[in-house]
Amino acid sequence: MRLTSLLFLLFLIPSALFALSPKRNYSRTPHDLHMTYEKLSIPSTNNMQLHAWYFPSDLGDQLMIISHDGVGNMGDYLERVRILVNYGFSVVIYDYRGFGQSSDFNIDKYQYIYKEFYDDFDAVYNYCEARFHHELIAYGWGIGAGISLVRGYQKDDIAGIIADEPFVDFTKLKTQFSKINAIMTLPAGIENSSYNALNMVKNQPGEKLRGILYLHGSKNFLYSTDDMELLLASTTLEFTELYQFDVASRMDNFTVNESEYARQIYAFVLNL
């Protein structure tokens, strides 16, 4: 009986690693950490309202739009926000519909991504473009990396993109789910479309986009180093970098080595 239970848990682990896991309540807020911030309510499609936090910095003129990986909510990622603000970046971090205090949205945790999350990125970008006079940088990890890459690639006012483990090709991803026994689904018609990262990066980039930093863990279950190198080679933008964390096996490399992670981001932005 114990062996059967263990095998069942091992079968479920790959799905758990990549499943959407929305959390409504914030375990920590910027107020708890004595951070200077402003609450934002940003309208998105289908009458949705997105909850977001804006963290100003007087040390630079760049603003990062942060898209998380669909696990928890933005309150779980305040430590990296604090690091980025200390480096001189202003930050806007937001919750997709169905997460945190954003509008209600029914989420199947075994669906890898929702097309509506792309709309949410667009809404936050449009808000930041209209309100702030900063250079905009799109940054995300996991599904947030792919969304930042796909939606940010041709935006008029995105100067840089930092994509930590972005999805590469949904067609191949579907096959990979089967290989690792992950019970995951994708929205209908998403594979060969403008939602797909490998398709998008082959296009002409936005006028102000100057660079992309790809971050990757060498032991990632879904995306191999070959996948990331294909994405890098397919990107039409001239200034692209790929940094690999050789011991990482997760969708967010920040927790592997926070100082090196922050250093790579800071060096990349300095070279934009």
Side-chain angles (χ1 to χ4, degrees):
M1 183 71 176
R2 184 176 297 175
L3 178 60
T4 303
S5 299
L6 178 60
L7 289 172
F8 180 70
L9 286 173
L10 288 173
F11 179 80
L12 288 180
I13 282 174
S15 293
L17 284 172
F18 313 116
L20 294 172
S21 181
K23 187 170 66 176
R24 279 308 202 175
N25 295 324
Y26 295 112
S27 56
R28 293 194 303 175
T29 69
H31 178 76
D32 297 327
L33 301 180
H34 309 289
M35 301 172 73
T36 299
Y37 78 111
E38 177 185 345
K39 293 181 181 179
L40 306 177
S41 183
I42 300 174
S44 188
T45 56
N46 305 116
N47 297 315
M48 294 285 166
Q49 290 289 325
L50 308 179
H51 192 57
W53 293 327
Y54 164 58
F55 301 85
S57 174
D58 296 328
L59 301 178
D61 62 353
Q62 289 151 327
L63 183 145
M64 287 201 179
I65 300 173
I66 296 184
S67 305
H68 61 70
D69 61 350
V71 175
N73 57 47
M74 60 183 177
D76 298 317
Y77 306 108
L78 287 173
E79 189 54 44
R80 83 182 66 199
V81 171
R82 177 157 45 188
I83 290 172
L84 292 171
V85 173
N86 288 341
Y87 268 106
F89 304 112
S90 295
V91 169
V92 168
I93 186 170
Y94 68 99
D95 275 322
Y96 309 110
R97 61 190 71 193
F99 289 78
Q101 292 179 8
S102 293
S103 293
D104 289 337
F105 182 69
N106 188 33
I107 291 176
D108 177 357
K109 67 179 181 179
Y110 293 118
Q111 180 156 310
Y112 177 73
I113 197 170
Y114 281 86
K115 292 179 180 179
E116 289 85 353
F117 294 169
Y118 293 79
D119 295 338
D120 294 343
F121 175 89
D122 288 346
V124 176
Y125 164 80
N126 290 335
Y127 179 93
C128 292
E129 184 187 39
R131 175 177 170 182
F132 302 111
H133 302 289
H134 291 6
E135 191 169 66
L136 301 180
I137 297 170
Y139 160 49
W141 56 96
I143 65 166
I147 292 169
S148 298
L149 179 61
V150 170
R151 281 300 201 249
Y153 195 75
Q154 293 188 309
K155 288 284 190 283
D156 291 338
D157 287 323
I158 296 288
I161 299 172
I162 300 162
D164 180 1
E165 305 291 12
F167 47 76
V168 179
D169 183 3
F170 284 137
T171 302
K172 185 174 181 180
L173 185 59
K174 209 169 185 179
T175 303
Q176 186 64 10
F177 284 148
S178 298
K179 285 183 180 179
I180 64 173
N181 296 322
I183 312 168
M184 302 295 295
T185 61
L186 290 167
I190 202 171
E191 290 97 331
N192 297 308
S193 69
S194 59
Y195 294 96
N196 200 44
L198 193 61
N199 293 348
M200 177 53 68
V201 299
K202 295 176 181 178
N203 294 318
Q204 186 69 21
E207 183 179 351
K208 293 184 181 178
L209 185 61
R210 302 196 300 274
I212 299 175
L213 172 63
Y214 295 118
L215 301 171
H216 173 60
S218 60
K219 296 180 181 178
N220 190 293
F221 285 95
L222 286 185
Y223 320 116
S224 67
T225 300
D226 287 344
D227 291 330
M228 295 303 297
E229 289 179 347
L230 173 63
L231 186 63
L232 183 73
S234 301
T235 305
T236 56
L237 190 69
E238 185 174 340
F239 176 32
T240 54
E241 296 180 349
L242 171 61
Y243 184 85
Q244 179 166 287
F245 293 85
D246 289 328
V247 295
S249 59
R250 59 203 76 184
M251 302 303 294
D252 174 9
N253 292 303
F254 175 79
T255 54
V256 176
N257 187 331
E258 293 180 13
S259 58
E260 179 60 19
Y261 191 97
R263 191 185 74 81
Q264 289 298 322
I265 288 178
Y266 186 65
F268 165 74
V269 176
L270 279 182
N271 289 319
L272 275 180

